[in-house]
Amino acid sequence: MDVDRRPSDPYHIRGIRAFEQHKYAEAVRLWSSALHDKEGNAAVILCNRSSAYAQQGCWFNAAIDARQALQCQPDNVTAHYRLAQACFHAGQYKQCLNACQAALEIKPGAKQPRQLHQMAADFIRSNFMTHRNPEIGQAIVAANQAALQQERQSRQQQGLQRQVSEATASAILDRKRAHAIQQESFLRWGTQHGCNGSKMCVELGAADDPYKLLGVERGATEVDLRLAYVRAMKGAHPDKGGSTEQFHRVQAAYHQLKTDKLAGN
């Protein structure tokens, strides 16, 4: 969905859509407009913009927005975490520890602040160890950097999975709509030719095999019958090269087999 396709939506809603599409600069612009027009919760919008700045590596701006969010709402756990994250990537590990600690005091079970607190503590320890034992310090730094890289890859993977899920859901919805339109077309054509769906326009003879007319094996499930019916209707439809009689015979065959299934035959 294009972020500019719904200009009537509030800026902060359009900013969320832009962020989800990884258009971080556009998200910053929209959230800035939302703040200018005083839309929604200022602390939440500032936290969102801080996150967009962080995605672009603008840690200074991310920290400023986080601090402003805390001025609006001092007990905002997300704002404390955004500030801690910005301080961590700026190399301000003590400030990061303080921000993480503040978040944990408000919400002790917060997972992200606790993990970041541990990483900042490890970096401080590694800097101390580097002066006493360079090899140990370098090993700790390498381990922390690997953890950071893994965190970034995890966020990217989550974003890709969300995009795939949205695309899959959209494709399924499109197929359902196409199927509904096709079924409506079949019913409309049948009604125009004297078949209202509750009464068959033709009756199958004793020599007619409904399974053969639909092209399925005996013992087929109801789902198989339905799929075969749709395929047969496409070929039997007069607009697709079939005939009125063939169309009604396929319809009668499906009706008979469906009735038999319901009766348990």
Side-chain angles (χ1 to χ4, degrees):
M1 182 185 298
D2 194 326
V3 296
D4 292 326
R5 196 172 293 174
R6 297 182 182 176
S8 60
D9 282 351
Y11 285 117
H12 69 279
I13 299 298
R14 293 162 63 192
I16 291 172
R17 290 207 299 270
F19 186 89
E20 290 175 346
Q21 296 174 6
H22 308 290
K23 299 178 180 179
Y24 304 119
E26 178 71 4
V28 167
R29 183 185 69 80
L30 290 167
W31 281 325
S32 298
S33 298
L35 290 169
H36 180 270
D37 291 355
K38 298 182 179 179
E39 287 183 2
N41 187 321
V44 172
I45 297 174
L46 284 165
C47 285
N48 290 343
R49 194 172 70 174
S50 176
S51 181
Y53 277 131
Q55 291 291 341
Q56 299 177 86
C58 302
W59 302 112
F60 180 76
N61 291 336
I64 290 177
D65 274 0
R67 288 192 173 95
Q68 288 181 351
L70 289 172
Q71 290 177 0
C72 298
Q73 191 175 355
D75 61 345
N76 190 311
V77 176
T78 302
H80 283 292
Y81 174 70
R82 297 296 178 209
L83 177 59
Q85 188 182 40
C87 290
F88 180 86
H89 287 279
Q92 300 172 351
Y93 302 121
K94 291 184 178 179
Q95 291 88 330
C96 174
L97 285 176
N98 293 335
C100 287
Q101 190 61 41
L104 292 172
E105 288 177 359
I106 300 170
K107 188 177 180 181
K111 183 178 179 180
Q112 289 180 318
R114 186 170 299 280
Q115 291 177 340
L116 190 57
H117 185 280
Q118 182 62 47
M119 292 174 65
D122 289 343
F123 263 93
I124 291 175
R125 192 180 305 113
S126 68
N127 289 337
F128 174 75
M129 292 297 297
T130 299
H131 295 289
R132 302 189 62 179
N133 192 323
E135 293 183 359
I136 295 178
Q138 291 173 2
I140 296 175
V141 170
N144 288 330
Q145 289 176 344
L148 277 175
Q149 182 64 21
Q150 186 177 4
E151 181 186 357
R152 294 192 192 99
Q153 291 176 351
S154 177
R155 288 202 303 267
Q156 292 174 355
Q157 185 66 24
Q158 290 175 358
L160 290 174
Q161 289 176 351
R162 184 167 55 249
Q163 289 179 347
V164 170
S165 298
E166 291 174 354
T168 302
S170 178
I172 292 174
L173 183 59
D174 289 342
R175 286 200 298 270
K176 287 183 177 179
R177 287 173 178 168
H179 179 72
I181 292 172
Q182 185 182 64
Q183 290 299 104
E184 183 181 356
S185 175
F186 286 156
L187 291 174
R188 190 186 305 115
W189 187 91
T191 302
Q192 292 172 354
H193 289 76
C195 186
N196 59 13
S198 61
K199 180 181 178 182
M200 292 296 101
C201 298
V202 298
E203 296 291 340
L204 295 181
D208 290 326
D209 185 354
Y211 288 99
K212 186 175 181 180
L213 285 172
L214 293 183
V216 294
E217 299 291 337
R218 295 183 180 278
T221 65
E222 188 174 346
V223 174
D224 293 334
L225 289 177
R226 183 67 180 174
L227 293 175
Y229 170 64
V230 172
R231 287 195 299 267
M233 288 288 274
K234 289 180 181 179
H237 200 287
D239 294 341
K240 301 293 184 179
S243 64
T244 303
E245 181 181 359
Q246 185 182 2
F247 181 88
H248 291 320
R249 285 167 66 83
V250 168
Q251 197 173 40
Y254 176 69
H255 180 76
Q256 178 177 325
L257 292 177
K258 188 177 180 181
T259 303
D260 292 344
K261 285 284 183 184
L262 292 175
N265 297 332

